[in-house]
């Protein structure tokens, strides 16, 4: 073990002098995660929209809109909503740019809806914030669509004469509304927010490059001749292997930890509970080391190994959802996704964010590490075999 | 005392029998040269002796410790200077030495010592990649000396270096051998082998084809030193007086010259010259031809040592 530590220590010292190593392990993933979340990150994550609501109706339908529809959108962190007392005040805030958009709920909205009459929610948007206005319109629009359905139902009920009590109808109609919204929310909570997703995706994608150096170093040393020196030294062959694996694991842990801090501080990513994240990172690093070790051990030269490793990292990264959520792609891609450790890393983080357990994901990555690690050890014997 | 004893070494790579039944021994303080053309099997032999490469057959014993059963203990006794420059270019000279010193369990003070021995003390904190070719070669040698091995194995340690570094390395090896270290040395430079080696083994196509001191090898081939003289005067009389000198074994005349077969050309020359001038002839030119390892080598392998 002392020898393994010596070998890993030397590797790391050399590695610490290699500027491209930092670029690959920290700067590049951080930059890409930032760019992805800026360009592709969903709007809700990009910036927070400030909305104001002027409720001149004060009826059941208006309360459902402000309380449930806007309330839920606000709880995701994507928007901020506050109530103002009058339409004038709302319009003034939008004109000043203090609010992105205003929802104006006209007096008599509830009555109109329950009477089966056309009703409308007016959206006043800031011309300088087209996206925020668009989001406000679609929130109001989808509610209006549902109101239309309720109106038809109400009209039908009234005509059929089953019940004519308006207050009863209003309760029924209101109860029918928020259900879909609640249902979407539970699935949404199992997903990472966009920033964290891109940060985690890039971190796990580049992790596979970060761990490359240690295990491929063995082939490098064979080429440069220093492996002959290690083999001639009074050191067991297993210590040489262990040293190389230790290097990979150390570089993987350090670069991922740096990325977690950097994306949290610079991008505002929410990685979640530190103990859970730590378990995922450790098992993820082991799995990545194992996979890359198998590839390195199957190659004849360090150059060949690097090429194959890059392909492996990209294919597994894409399958595992490091770039885009494959679950949305569906089909074969979604079914194949679990063969990539990336899938489990991201899933573990999503489970963690959703209040679930990271253990299934951590167990899956441990299994990856054990299987690939064993294969790699058998293959690597060939490299250090006398 | 025998420091290295290898017997029946054999190693095959696919269809190539790289080393075939090679046996030799090296004693304390002895420098043994392994000579052979490219691809003869020198590096393969050395790799088996240093425990870097597995043997198909044969045994290596270093100072009584068998490599097969007590591998780590045997390796402790061997210092290895590989043919390739086996250095970490992104570490300084001192860091390279410190790493290998700790791997061998050698004291830190040895690092400073060997830096002095190979003359790199003032450049010790420069990155190895910034060293000149000769400095890299010297660092390559220094690493092999760190743990004061009983047997030092050098595989072409002077390949492609300037005369200054070459001389430094040769002097280092001489000093170490004088201190009792057994040295196994391969080279393509014949003059180096003649300067340095007490005994040489000639290897060709994996087989050790001859072994001994330079003189033993030369004599075994029936080769003798020769002196060629260009003369003015009575050639027949000159041949007669030269033939009477005790160390001269044969005389033949051709044109204006004589060719003498002698034991040792340099030793015989003064006596030959004085005999001829007493005989009344004038020597216009003298040349000697000492059959050397190059000749031996050419004779044994049919190849020049350097191609
Ligand atoms: N790892 C290997 N795999 C396959 N063949 C090898 C290997 N190492 C050496 N050989 C072959 O074994 C033979 C002996 O090679 P070796 O390197 O021992 O020669 P050498 O005497 O050191 O030559 P040189 O003077 O060029 O260094 C050559 O034919 C070489 O091609
Ligand atoms: Mg060689």
């Amino acid at each position: 073990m002392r020898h393994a530590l010596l070998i890993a220590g030397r590797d790391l010292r050399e590695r610490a002098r290699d500027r491209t190593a930092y670029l690959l392990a920290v700067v590049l993933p951080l930059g890409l995660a930032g760019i992805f979340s800026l360009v592709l990150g969903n709007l809700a994550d990009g910036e927070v929209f400030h909305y104001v609501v002027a409720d001149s109706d004060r009826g059941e339908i208006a309360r459902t809109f402000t309380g449930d529809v806007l309330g839920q959108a606000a709880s995701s962190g994507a928007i901020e909503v506050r109530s103002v007392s009058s339409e004038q005040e709302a319009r003034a805030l939008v004109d000043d740019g203090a609010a992105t958009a205003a929802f104006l709920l006209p007096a008599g909205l509830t009555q109109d809806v329950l009477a089966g009459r056309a009703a409308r929610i007016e959206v006043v948007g800031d011309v300088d914030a087209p996206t925020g206005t668009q989001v406000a319109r679609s929130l109001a629009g989808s509610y209006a669509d549902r109101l239309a359905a309720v109106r038809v139902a109400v009209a039908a009920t009234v005509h059929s004469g089953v019940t004519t009590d308006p207050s009863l109808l209003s309760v029924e109609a209101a109860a029918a509304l928020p259900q879909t919204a609640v249902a979407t929310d539970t699935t949404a909570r199992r997903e990472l927010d966009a920033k964290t997703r891109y940060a985690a995706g890039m971190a796990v994608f580049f992790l596979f490059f970060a761990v490359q150096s240690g295990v491929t170093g063995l082939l490098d040393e064979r080429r440069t001749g220093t492996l002959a020196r290690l083999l001639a030294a009074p050191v067991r062959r297993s210590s040489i292997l262990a040293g190389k694996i230790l290097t990979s694991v150390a570089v993987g842990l350090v670069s991922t930890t740096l990325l977690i801090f950097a994306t949290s501080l610079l991008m505002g990513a929410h990685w979640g509970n530190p103990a859970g994240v730590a378990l995922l990172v450790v098992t993820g690093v082991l799995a990545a080391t194992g996979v890359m070790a198998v590839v390195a051990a199957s190659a004849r030269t360090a150059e060949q190994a690097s090429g194959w490793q890059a392909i492996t990292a990209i294919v597994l990264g894409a399958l595992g959802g490091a770039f885009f959520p494959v679950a949305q792609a569906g089909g074969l891609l979604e079914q194949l996704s679990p063969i990539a450790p990336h899938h489990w890393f991201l899933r573990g983080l999503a489970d963690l964010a959703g209040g679930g357990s990271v253990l299934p994901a951590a167990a899956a990555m441990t299994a990856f590490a054990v299987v690939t690690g064993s294969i790699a050890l058998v293959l690597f014997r060939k490299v250090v075999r006398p | 005392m025998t420091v290295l004893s290898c017997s029946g070494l054999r190693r095959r790579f696919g269809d190539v029998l790289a080393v075939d039944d090679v046996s030799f021994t090296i004693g304390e303080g002895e420098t043994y040269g392994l000579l052979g053309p490219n691809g003869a099997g020198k590096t393969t032999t050395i790799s088996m002796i240093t425990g870097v490469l597995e043997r198909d057959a044969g045994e290596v014993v270093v100072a009584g410790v068998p490599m097969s059963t007590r591998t780590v203990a045997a390796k402790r006794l061997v210092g290895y200077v590989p043919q390739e420059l086996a250095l970490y270019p992104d570490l300084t000279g001192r860091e390279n030495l410190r790493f290998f010193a700790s791997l061998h369990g050698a004291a830190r003070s040895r690092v400073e010592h060997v830096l002095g021995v190979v003359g790199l003390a003032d450049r010790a904190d420069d990155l190895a990649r910034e060293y000149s070719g000769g400095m890299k070669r010297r660092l390559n040698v220094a690493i092999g000396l760190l743990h004061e091995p009983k047997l030092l194995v050098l595989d072409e340690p002077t390949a492609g270096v300037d005369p200054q570094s070459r001389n430094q390395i040769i002097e280092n090896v001489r000093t170490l051998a004088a201190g009792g270290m057994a040295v196994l040395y391969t080279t393509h430079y014949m003059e180096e082998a003649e300067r340095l080696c007490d005994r040489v083994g000639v290897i060709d196509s994996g087989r050790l084809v001859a072994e001994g001191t330079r003189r033993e090898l030369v004599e075994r081939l029936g080769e003798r030193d020769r002196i060629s003289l260009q003369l003015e005067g009575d050639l027949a009389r000159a041949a007669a007086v030269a033939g009477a000198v005790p160390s001269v074994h044969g005389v033949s005349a051709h044109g204006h010259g004589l060719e003498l077969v002698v034991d040792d050309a340099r030793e015989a020359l003064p006596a030959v010259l004085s005999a001829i001038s007493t005989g009344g002839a004038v020597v216009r030119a003298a040349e000697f031809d000492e059959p050397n390892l190059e000749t031996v080598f050419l004779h044994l392998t049919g190849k020049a040592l350097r191609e």
Side-chain angles (χ1 to χ4, degrees):
Chain A
M1 194 60 196
R2 192 183 75 87
H3 289 141
L5 286 173
L6 276 172
I7 289 170
R10 191 216 61 80
D11 278 353
L12 292 173
R13 179 186 286 249
E14 192 175 64
R15 190 95 184 126
R17 293 196 183 151
D18 179 3
R19 294 230 179 80
T20 56
Y22 296 103
L23 198 70
L24 198 65
V26 181
V27 181
L28 208 53
L30 191 60
L32 281 179
I35 290 168
F36 275 147
S37 72
L38 273 182
V39 176
L40 304 170
N42 71 44
L43 303 162
D45 273 328
E47 55 185 302
V48 174
F49 301 127
H50 304 276
Y51 295 140
V52 289
V53 186
D55 180 3
S56 311
D57 175 47
R58 299 186 192 282
E60 197 67 39
I61 297 294
R63 259 198 301 283
T64 310
F65 179 69
T66 50
D68 294 344
V69 177
L70 295 183
Q72 262 153 29
S75 72
S76 77
I79 64 170
E80 264 175 24
V81 183
R82 85 192 150 94
S83 293
V84 294
S85 53
S86 70
E87 275 190 23
Q88 284 76 10
E89 189 183 349
R91 283 180 195 278
L93 285 168
V94 173
D95 285 345
D96 293 350
T100 317
F103 296 99
L104 307 179
L105 309 177
L109 176 69
T110 302
Q111 275 157 23
D112 284 350
V113 171
L114 293 180
R117 286 192 295 271
R120 58 189 241 103
I121 298 173
E122 196 180 342
V123 174
V124 180
D126 178 354
V127 284
D128 295 330
T131 332
T133 306
Q134 192 55 46
V135 169
R137 285 228 172 80
S138 61
L139 282 170
S142 67
Y143 187 68
D145 287 346
R146 278 184 260 158
L147 284 184
V150 171
R151 230 169 58 215
V152 173
V154 167
T157 318
V158 172
H159 284 290
S160 67
V162 177
T163 173
T164 46
D165 182 351
S167 65
L168 214 63
L169 277 175
S170 98
V171 171
E172 248 174 58
L177 285 167
Q179 274 170 7
T180 33
V182 172
T184 20
D185 186 53
T186 35
T187 48
R189 283 174 65 88
R190 285 224 133 180
E191 289 284 323
L192 291 168
D193 64 279
K195 276 181 214 160
T196 311
R197 246 206 72 80
Y198 288 116
M202 285 303 104
V204 69
F205 175 68
F206 279 96
L207 168 62
F208 279 68
F209 289 93
V211 299
Q212 225 182 319
S213 63
V215 287
T216 312
L218 205 55
L219 300 177
D220 267 322
E221 291 211 36
R222 185 170 66 182
R223 179 174 51 82
T224 61
T226 43
L227 181 61
R229 269 217 149 105
L230 296 182
L231 291 173
V235 170
R236 280 207 307 271
R237 279 151 213 278
S238 55
S239 303
I240 301 175
L241 279 183
K244 292 299 170 186
I245 287 172
L246 223 55
T247 303
S248 279
V249 171
V251 174
L253 287 178
V254 169
S255 59
T256 311
T257 309
L258 279 177
L259 274 180
I260 289 174
F261 279 108
T263 52
S264 304
L265 290 175
L266 302 177
M267 287 171 55
H270 308 287
W271 286 79
N273 174 282
V277 174
L279 185 62
L280 291 174
V281 168
V282 170
T283 53
V285 166
L286 293 176
T289 304
V291 170
M292 287 325 214
V294 169
V295 178
S298 316
R300 212 165 306 130
T301 64
E303 287 72 28
Q304 197 178 49
S306 304
W308 290 357
Q309 283 174 329
I311 293 168
T312 309
I314 291 167
V315 170
L316 287 180
L319 267 184
F323 306 111
F324 56 90
V326 279
Q328 286 171 14
L332 186 63
L333 206 55
E334 189 183 359
Q335 281 166 16
L336 282 178
S337 187
I339 67 164
H342 306 63
H343 168 92
W344 295 100
F345 184 77
L346 295 171
R347 177 165 152 203
L349 285 173
D351 286 346
L352 193 64
S357 165
V358 296
L359 291 178
M365 289 192 288
T366 307
F368 266 105
V370 169
V371 171
T372 53
S374 314
I375 297 171
L377 278 185
V378 170
L379 292 175
F380 262 134
R381 290 246 177 85
K382 186 186 65 194
V383 178
V384 294
R385 194 183 58 198
Chain B
M1 194 191 103
T2 304
V3 175
L4 171 68
S5 150
C6 45
S7 50
L9 292 181
R10 176 174 292 125
R11 173 72 197 213
R12 178 183 285 283
F13 295 110
D15 289 340
V16 180
L17 190 53
V19 172
D20 182 14
D21 196 21
V22 165
S23 310
F24 61 94
T25 62
I26 306 178
E28 209 172 7
E30 186 181 24
T31 300
Y32 186 98
L34 199 56
L35 306 182
N38 289 125
K42 301 182 294 294
T43 299
T44 307
T45 304
I46 279 180
S47 301
M48 288 190 282
I49 290 170
T50 51
V52 170
L53 191 67
E54 205 165 67
R55 304 169 294 278
D56 289 343
E59 177 62 295
V60 172
V61 180
V62 186
V65 181
M67 189 63 84
S68 56
T69 52
R70 298 177 56 203
T71 313
V72 171
K75 282 180 179 177
R76 266 189 241 289
L77 304 171
V78 182
Y80 177 36
V81 177
Q83 179 171 0
E84 288 160 291
L85 285 169
L87 311 168
Y88 296 108
D90 290 318
L91 300 186
T92 66
R94 183 175 273 116
E95 286 168 339
N96 267 286
L97 289 166
R98 284 199 175 157
F99 170 64
F100 286 108
S102 46
L103 215 51
H104 279 94
R108 273 279 171 103
S109 60
R110 288 292 301 166
V111 170
E112 303 311 315
H113 178 77
V114 298
L115 276 170
V117 167
V118 299
L120 283 177
D122 54 335
R123 297 292 301 272
D125 292 319
D126 292 354
L127 292 183
R129 72 159 70 253
E130 290 160 5
Y131 282 4
S132 70
M135 290 163 68
K136 285 180 187 159
R137 278 282 161 203
R138 283 186 271 153
L139 180 58
N140 199 40
V141 171
I143 295 171
L145 308 178
L146 279 167
H147 57 293
E148 301 178 86
K150 286 209 174 310
L151 170 69
L152 179 62
V153 179
L154 304 110
D155 196 355
E156 299 194 30
T158 60
V161 304
D162 56 289
Q164 187 197 338
S165 288
R166 170 191 305 268
N167 280 332
Q168 167 123 40
I169 291 170
I170 290 173
E171 280 320 305
N172 288 155
V173 173
R174 275 201 169 154
T175 314
L176 292 164
M181 202 179 274
V183 179
L184 173 57
Y185 196 99
T186 79
T187 179
H188 277 168
Y189 299 101
M190 201 49 71
E191 60 283 6
E192 220 170 274
E194 293 190 341
R195 255 174 87 184
L196 208 51
C197 300
D198 302 309
R199 269 190 314 139
V200 297
V202 178
I203 186 170
D204 189 30
S205 304
R207 297 191 68 93
L208 202 60
V209 291
E211 198 192 40
T213 63
R214 179 188 78 94
R215 190 152 290 282
E216 280 168 8
L217 289 174
V218 164
E219 278 170 10
R220 196 170 314 157
L221 291 180
E223 292 284 346
R224 291 306 240 324
D225 283 8
R226 283 164 205 278
I227 299 175
S228 301
L229 301 169
Q230 294 297 317
L231 300 177
E232 246 170 53
D234 187 345
L235 210 58
R237 190 171 149 71
V241 293
V245 175
S247 59
V248 175
H249 300 290
V251 182
S252 55
H254 48 83
H256 288 288
L258 289 181
E259 190 170 88
L260 316 177
V261 177
V262 297
D263 278 337
D264 186 317
R266 286 161 207 265
E267 265 175 33
L269 191 63
V272 168
L273 291 182
S274 76
I276 288 176
S277 55
T278 325
V282 178
V283 177
R284 288 277 169 231
E287 249 174 39
F288 17 85
D289 175 20
E290 300 173 285
N292 54 13
L293 286 177
E294 189 82 53
T295 326
V296 170
F297 193 81
L298 205 58
H299 186 101
L300 287 171
T301 67
K303 295 169 194 134
L305 197 48
R306 291 164 72 187
E307 289 166 350

